[in-house]
Amino acid sequence: MDRVNKLPIVFLDRDGTIIVDKVYLNDPKEVEFIDGVIDGLKKLSENNFKLIIVSNQSGIARGLVQIENLNEIHKVITETLKKHNVEIFRIYYCPHLPQDNCECRKPKTGMVKEILDFIDKDKSFVIGDKESDVEFGLAVGIKTIILSNREISTRAHFVARNFKEAVDFILSSIKYEK
């Protein structure tokens, strides 16, 4: 596939990155976007990035999150964003426990293996709040951003104090023509 057909993608962790981490969120009514996220996602969309959520959801395997509720949570997220002209291109999640050693749990890339050949790696990023998000991005071969408001040891390309700072880093890092 030639470069023209490759997509600039921003992979987004879900809990603690775009919505408040409620620890095994199982109630769609409790979805709460983190301040600045909707505006940031809108900027990314306006700059032609495809937005993809990638999330480890071991609450399913633990019996703490029902799959119907997870689907409804994702529906709330996508419909809320759609009202702001933001489209989530895809949502991928891993339902397994860490000890299951599956291929889909971040930092492994099995969750997104079907689209790996379509990623414009020079213009793609991952934003997350854990080192496993950073390791996932490095495994995919893209730039990584970790959200943290304190000093941390990380392999990320950039540490952002908030989502706005992450988006500003992305937009200043690329020379992307619409």
Side-chain angles (χ1 to χ4, degrees):
M1 168 168 290
D2 62 52
R3 187 175 172 80
V4 174
N5 294 323
K6 297 206 176 205
L7 301 172
I9 295 172
V10 177
F11 291 100
L12 304 155
D13 177 53
R14 194 189 83 176
D15 304 305
T17 299
I18 63 169
I19 64 171
V20 174
D21 189 350
K22 304 279 175 100
V23 186
Y24 303 119
L25 176 63
N26 191 43
D27 185 349
K29 293 185 204 107
E30 291 185 20
V31 170
E32 179 184 350
F33 283 88
I34 295 172
D35 289 342
V37 165
I38 293 175
D39 289 338
L41 292 175
K42 190 169 182 161
K43 280 184 182 178
L44 293 172
S45 287
E46 289 167 351
N47 282 276
N48 297 323
F49 284 97
K50 297 292 184 195
L51 305 173
I52 296 178
I53 295 172
V54 288
S55 185
N56 289 337
Q57 292 296 318
S58 67
I60 295 168
R62 296 174 200 278
L64 300 170
V65 178
Q66 283 65 53
I67 195 75
E68 306 80 34
N69 291 351
L70 181 74
N71 291 334
E72 193 61 31
I73 288 163
H74 291 161
K75 185 176 175 185
V76 168
I77 290 170
T78 57
E79 289 182 357
T80 301
L81 291 173
K82 203 173 282 187
K83 291 176 187 170
H84 295 275
N85 297 316
V86 174
E87 180 187 353
I88 296 297
F89 188 62
R90 294 222 168 91
I91 298 177
Y92 296 106
Y93 64 89
C94 169
H96 305 110
L97 295 169
Q99 58 268 33
D100 290 341
N101 199 28
C102 64
E103 289 302 311
C104 60
R105 186 171 176 83
K106 289 183 294 181
K108 293 181 182 176
T109 61
M111 221 183 309
V112 298
K113 72 179 177 189
E114 69 183 41
I115 64 165
L116 287 175
D117 292 338
F118 301 98
I119 300 169
D120 183 339
K121 293 185 179 180
D122 293 331
K123 294 180 181 175
S124 294
F125 298 80
V126 64
I127 304 173
D129 65 328
K130 294 183 176 62
E131 198 63 25
S132 61
D133 300 312
V134 172
E135 296 299 327
F136 166 80
L138 294 173
V140 171
I142 60 175
K143 293 174 207 73
T144 59
I145 302 167
I146 193 165
L147 301 174
S148 181
N149 53 13
R150 59 186 174 78
E151 283 284 319
I152 58 169
S153 176
T154 180
R155 293 181 58 203
H157 293 90
F158 184 69
V159 177
R161 290 174 299 207
N162 53 50
F163 200 83
K164 180 190 181 312
E165 208 172 86
V167 170
D168 290 346
F169 174 78
I170 290 171
L171 296 179
S172 68
S173 295
I174 59 150
K175 292 172 181 59
Y176 189 77
E177 290 104 34
K178 289 185 182 181

